[in-house]
């Protein structure tokens, strides 16, 4: 059951991978050296040295895999890199440690209760590393021969000849196998493995014997030795799946297809209990380990008092992940109560947190970040344009000036330029308002907008307000 589940999960993951340039796509890690000191600029990260170092210490604890149920809060002003640091941590964890990122507001949905949404997020962040022995066929492809049926309709058949340094065997191929081999573009000279249970074909590389064909291959070709010994062998493979993935596959109402759609709905308590028991059994038999991952809740002040109390409890479970939260709020009301508290988080939860704080950037850091963003977005920009953009970042905000990069490069392209210059920046600066100027405009022209706070000079909005009251 474990192996089959892992296989299905892998298929789903293979399908749902898309890469685009996003707000944090330039972040490739925390940029720390071996002694966890933050390098000024590294892996897309700039400055914010103390916070990055602190994040590195937490990361070290996570990688050891021993701690569970710790919680960290990253607190600081907007645009100081809190989310960026969390993304950096995710990047440094490697593919086998689950990392789940949600925003506090995501748990409010009509489809499931708040605590169900949080439970799912927790279980997405716990990995189960399953070890199993499988039979595989591994060797160098000597020849693939596919016979097309004369009629053009019948099933395809064929033969595959594989060899190791010691032996050579011919296998008959069915339609399904032919499809997988074609999909992987397997050809003579490739070293491949075939999982006997699932029929999954993986290409390991080209055989060294074929290294003289190098010119025709291109530089990305990987060369490997022709395998030794038997063609059929037993191999231990390790899959990591999350508890949530196991839950979904085993819940009768949703099943495997729900993993594709993401439409999982609520999962019954009994299902989870059964899975917990099963996983405990696997652990005892040495078939599986628990890999505590990371749950990142951004904008955590959006959670309410019930959620916070749920978190308190959930952190005490021995299968709890490491919880990282971020907020830009100061002392504010705890949602769902009339009490105020630092960051809008109740004191009993705050008491369990390690708090990392971020501070506003200096000019040098801003310029570096903007330069990195230009590279990420493939925008050429002149020195003085970057200088001006940095000035704008200081006066307005880092986010606003990051936005101007794409806009100014469009303006530059319109005038058929190749490098964004000061005039392009000036132009987009006048086209798009930042928050401060937008407020200014609203103050000046507020009578012309709906629902303004200025005293009743506008009959339309007044009428609307009274209507709202009576409704
Ligand atoms: N130290 C940094 N190095 C590189 N890029 C950074 C750094 N800090 C912030 N950025 C980039 O600046 C932008 C704003 O930062 P980010 O979104 O992390 O701010 P935040 O602290 O999460 O703000 P908020 O409180 O509004 O959520 C992002 O595109 C982010 O990737
Ligand atoms: Mg953020």
């Amino acid at each position: 059951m474990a192996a089959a589940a892992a296989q299905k999960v892998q298929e789903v993951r293979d399908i749902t991978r898309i890469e685009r340039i996003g707000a944090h796509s330039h972040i490739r890690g925390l940029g720390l050296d071996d002694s966890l000191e933050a390098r000024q600029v590294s892996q897309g990260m700039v400055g914010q040295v103390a916070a990055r170092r602190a994040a590195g210490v937490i990361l070290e604890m996570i990688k050891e895999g021993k701690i569970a149920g710790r919680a960290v809060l990253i607190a600081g002003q907007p645009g100081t890199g809190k989310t960026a640091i969390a993304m950096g941590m995710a990047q440094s964890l490697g593919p086998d440690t689950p990392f789940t990122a949600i925003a506090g507001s995501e748990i409010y949905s009509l489809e499931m209760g708040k605590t169900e949404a949080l439970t799912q997020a927790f279980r997405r962040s716990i990995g189960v590393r399953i070890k199993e022995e499988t039979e595989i066929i591994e060797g160098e492809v000597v020849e693939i021969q596919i016979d097309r049926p004369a009629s053009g309709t019948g099933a395809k058949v064929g033969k595959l000849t594989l060899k190791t340094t010691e032996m050579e065997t011919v296998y008959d191929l069915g339609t399904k196998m032919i499809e997988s081999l074609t999909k992987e573009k397997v050809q003579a000279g490739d070293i491949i493995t075939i999982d006997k249970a699932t029929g999954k074909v993986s290409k390991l590389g080209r055989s060294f014997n074929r290294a003289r064909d190098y010119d025709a291959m291109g530089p990305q070709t990987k060369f490997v030795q022709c395998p030794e010994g038997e063609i059929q062998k037993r191999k231990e493979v390790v899959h990591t799946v999350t508890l949530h993935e196991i839950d979904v596959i085993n819940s009768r109402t949703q099943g495997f297809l729900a993993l594709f759609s993401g439409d999982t709905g609520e999962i019954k308590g009994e299902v989870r209990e059964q899975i917990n028991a099963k996983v405990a059994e696997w652990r005892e038999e040495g078939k599986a380990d628990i890999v505590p991952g990371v749950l990142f809740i951004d904008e955590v002040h959006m959670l309410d008092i019930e959620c916070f109390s749920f978190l308190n409890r959930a952190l005490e479970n021995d299968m709890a992940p490491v919880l990282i939260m971020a907020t830009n709020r100061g002392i504010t009301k705890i949602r769902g109560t009339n009490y105020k508290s630092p960051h809008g988080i109740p004191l009993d939860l705050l008491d369990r947190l390690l708090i990392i704080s971020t501070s506003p950037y200096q000019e040098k850091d801003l310029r570096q970040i903007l330069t990195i963003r230009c590279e990420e977005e493939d925008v050429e920009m002149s020195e003085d344009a970057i200088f001006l953009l940095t000035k704008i970042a200081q006066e307005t905000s880092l986010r606003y000036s990051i936005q101007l990069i794409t806009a100014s490069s469009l303006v530059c392209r319109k005038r058929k330029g190749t490098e964004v210059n000061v005039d392009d920046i000036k132009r987009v600066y006048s086209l798009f308002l930042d928050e401060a100027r937008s407020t200014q405009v609203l103050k000046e022209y507020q009578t012309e907008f709906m629902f303004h706070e200025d005293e009743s000079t506008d009959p339309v909005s007044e009428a609307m307000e009274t209507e709202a009251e009576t409704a």
Side-chain angles (χ1 to χ4, degrees):
M1 161 194 161
Q7 191 67 38
K8 283 177 182 167
V9 167
Q10 196 54 49
E11 279 167 32
V12 174
R13 285 192 194 147
D14 283 348
I15 287 169
T16 49
R17 200 170 296 146
I18 303 174
E19 288 205 12
R20 296 174 62 204
I21 297 181
H24 307 288
S25 53
H26 61 290
I27 308 280
R28 278 174 280 277
L30 285 173
L32 306 177
D33 63 17
D34 291 341
S35 55
L36 295 184
E37 285 306 331
R39 298 195 181 96
Q40 176 59 25
V41 183
S42 172
Q43 296 189 311
M45 273 285 187
V46 180
Q48 208 61 267
V49 172
R52 277 161 60 200
R53 200 189 137 97
V57 173
I58 305 286
L59 203 62
E60 214 48 28
M61 306 193 329
I62 298 166
K63 280 188 186 154
E64 301 255 311
K66 296 215 175 64
I67 59 154
R70 289 311 156 79
V72 179
L73 176 69
I74 310 178
Q77 285 104 308
T80 48
K82 298 180 294 296
T83 310
I85 287 176
M87 294 303 132
M89 293 176 83
Q91 298 276 338
S92 324
L93 279 175
D96 274 348
T97 310
F99 179 94
T100 315
I102 62 167
S105 49
E106 269 173 61
I107 59 153
Y108 302 102
S109 118
L110 290 178
E111 262 141 58
M112 61 177 87
K114 294 178 277 191
T115 49
E116 170 69 16
L118 279 175
T119 307
Q120 290 195 5
F122 263 76
R123 289 175 77 87
R124 266 179 226 275
S125 320
I126 297 284
V128 184
R129 192 183 291 134
I130 301 166
K131 282 172 270 182
E132 48 154 358
E133 280 226 320
T134 54
E135 289 248 307
I136 58 158
I137 297 172
E138 184 173 83
E140 176 179 336
V141 179
V142 180
E143 192 187 8
I144 302 186
Q145 183 198 340
I146 297 167
D147 304 322
R148 301 193 186 276
S151 62
T153 48
K156 281 188 209 164
V157 288
K159 285 194 174 10
L160 170 71
T161 315
L162 285 180
K163 68 166 185 188
T164 64
T165 48
E166 273 130 69
M167 59 193 289
E168 190 170 307
T169 312
V170 182
Y171 294 91
D172 284 326
L173 298 175
T175 322
K176 224 182 137 204
M177 213 47 229
I178 292 178
E179 254 170 38
S180 333
L181 289 168
T182 327
K183 207 176 113 216
E184 291 293 319
K185 302 200 177 67
V186 173
Q187 41 177 311
D190 286 340
I191 310 282
I192 61 169
T193 62
I194 303 172
D195 186 323
K196 270 189 92 174
T198 61
K200 190 175 184 322
V201 178
S202 343
K203 208 149 78 165
L204 302 182
R206 294 285 294 168
S207 166
F208 268 114
N209 304 337
R210 302 265 178 160
R212 61 196 153 78
D213 305 350
Y214 182 73
D215 281 351
M217 301 289 152
Q220 69 275 38
T221 314
K222 198 173 119 201
F223 288 100
V224 287
Q225 290 293 357
C226 179
E228 296 169 359
E230 301 272 323
I231 291 185
Q232 290 208 27
K233 39 193 124 173
R234 299 188 71 81
K235 203 175 195 177
E236 183 168 274
V237 286
V238 180
H239 307 275
T240 310
V241 292
T242 70
L243 276 181
H244 176 69
E245 287 165 331
I246 305 183
D247 288 350
V248 173
I249 288 174
N250 289 288
S251 69
R252 207 171 304 123
T253 45
Q254 287 109 20
F256 163 49
L257 283 177
L259 270 184
F260 277 103
S261 61
D263 178 18
T264 50
E266 299 220 356
I267 288 168
K268 288 208 190 78
E270 305 112 65
V271 172
R272 291 213 171 97
E273 268 161 38
Q274 279 169 16
I275 304 257
N276 287 351
K278 198 84 207 156
V279 170
E281 205 176 285
W282 293 339
R283 281 169 85 181
E284 253 166 46
E285 291 165 7
K287 281 193 205 148
D289 294 318
I290 293 290
V291 189
V294 178
L295 171 59
F296 172 54
I297 308 184
D298 210 350
E299 321 280 333
V300 72
H301 49 261
M302 288 307 292
L303 298 187
D304 63 13
I305 186 82
E306 291 155 29
C307 298
F308 285 127
S309 134
F310 173 90
L311 292 185
N312 271 345
R313 233 358 233 106
L315 283 174
E316 280 165 20
N317 192 314
D318 72 332
M319 293 216 281
V322 173
L323 177 65
I324 299 179
M325 296 172 278
T327 180
N328 55 21
R329 298 300 155 96
I331 295 176
T332 180
K333 247 185 212 162
I334 304 168
R335 232 184 124 141
T337 71
N338 280 323
Y339 296 103
K340 284 194 172 170
S341 178
H343 314 295
I345 299 176
L347 289 175
D348 55 350
L349 179 57
L350 267 181
D351 192 34
R352 300 170 200 227
L353 305 181
L354 294 170
I355 302 181
I356 299 178
S357 76
T358 55
S359 45
Y361 291 111
Q362 300 302 313
E363 186 192 337
K364 194 177 76 188
D365 295 339
L366 291 174
R367 187 163 52 239
Q368 271 295 351
I369 296 175
L370 290 167
T371 311
I372 291 177
R373 283 305 297 186
C374 285
E375 277 164 29
E376 179 70 21
E377 299 185 23
D378 247 338
V379 173
E380 298 281 334
M381 195 175 283
S382 71
E383 271 303 306
D384 42 353
I386 292 207
F387 187 79
L388 177 59
L389 206 54
T390 313
K391 267 266 161 307
I392 295 176
Q394 276 176 300
E395 301 290 322
T396 62
S397 76
L398 173 59
R399 281 225 177 81
Y400 174 68
S401 45
I402 288 181
Q403 306 271 37
L404 293 190
I405 295 175
T406 326
S408 64
S409 96
L410 285 175
V411 168
C412 166
R413 223 188 296 159
K414 264 260 139 21
R415 65 167 175 84
K416 303 219 165 28
T418 51
E419 195 183 60
V420 174
N421 62 24
V422 173
D423 287 336
D424 297 329
I425 303 277
K426 280 186 184 156
R427 176 148 177 103
V428 285
Y429 181 77
S430 64
L431 281 178
F432 301 105
L433 302 184
D434 58 282
E435 171 268 324
R437 276 183 294 157
S438 169
T439 314
Q440 189 57 40
V441 170
L442 288 183
K443 284 221 176 95
E444 280 168 30
Y445 297 101
Q446 65 172 324
T447 48
E448 287 163 32
F449 286 84
M450 273 166 56
F451 303 127
H452 58 79
E453 302 254 293
D454 201 11
E455 258 83 74
S456 59
T457 36
D458 170 15
V460 180
S461 68
E462 219 178 334
M464 289 204 171
E465 263 156 38
T466 33
E467 209 172 318
E469 270 159 34
T470 47

